[in-house]
Amino acid sequence: MMSADAVKASYTISERDFLAASRLNETPPTRLLVLFAVILIGLLAVYLTDYYGFGQLAHGALIGLVLSYLFLHFVGSPYKAKKFYRGFKALHDNFTVELLPTGLEISSMHGRNQLLWKDIKDWKQNREFLLVYPKPDVFYVLPKKISEQGFDGRALVQALEMYVGKAS
């Protein structure tokens, strides 16, 4: 799966990259989306049938939930991510990643961290990024464009699936 001569890749994370990665990080799991949809459908049903006279209450709750979600998704989360990125200057530096048989090594001028497969709790990916979680609330951002430098992203995904499990 992994070659003996591992390829290192270097990258930097721009503010736009961090915002996109944060949006991926905050993507709710499917089970939570299903629960949210069931609640919305239930509230809609109560509103449409005016079940026990709770139609107006259900209507208000429905509007409140949708507006709250939209506000958090489009205003609150991006604001929080920008503030975090701008305040955490180490994120602006150049990073180097190397795929090892035992895990991943991610380094910058501030230090080196070797993430063993057993220490990776979760991971997510989309077209642009792969996020690796050593803790539930901490993630490393790996831009998929590092494959242009010879980094074997496919081998990384295979290793994560084998040692950590399916992406969440």
Side-chain angles (χ1 to χ4, degrees), residues 1-11 96-100 143-156:
M1 176 172 56
M2 287 171 259
S3 67
D5 45 78
V7 175
K8 291 183 179 183
S10 296
Y11 62 95
T96 301
V97 63
E98 182 177 5
L99 181 59
L100 304 171
K144 289 193 172 180
K145 65 184 174 192
I146 60 176
S147 64
E148 296 168 2
Q149 299 176 40
F151 186 83
D152 194 350
R154 199 170 297 139
L156 173 57

Side-chain angles (χ1 to χ4, degrees), residues 19-116:
L19 285 171
S22 293
R23 178 148 295 148
L24 173 60
N25 172 57
E26 294 178 2
T27 302
T30 304
R31 66 183 180 277
L32 192 58
L33 289 173
V34 169
L35 177 64
F36 189 65
V38 168
I39 290 169
L40 290 178
I41 290 168
L43 287 171
L44 185 62
V46 170
Y47 169 68
L48 293 174
T49 62
D50 197 22
Y51 189 72
Y52 284 109
F54 287 111
Q56 292 303 314
L57 181 63
H59 185 247
L62 191 61
I63 291 172
L65 279 173
V66 170
L67 289 178
S68 296
Y69 174 79
L70 293 174
F71 177 79
L72 289 173
H73 185 73
F74 291 108
V75 178
S77 293
Y79 172 78
K80 182 181 83 171
K82 281 181 187 178
K83 186 175 179 183
F84 183 82
Y85 180 82
R86 291 173 182 169
F88 194 11
K89 297 299 181 191
L91 281 175
H92 304 198
D93 293 334
N94 193 48
F95 289 89
T96 301
V97 63
E98 182 177 5
L99 181 59
L100 304 171
T102 56
L104 276 176
E105 184 171 282
I106 300 174
S107 57
S108 73
M109 66 183 281
H110 297 282
R112 172 169 297 182
N113 194 1
Q114 193 169 72
L115 298 171
L116 302 176

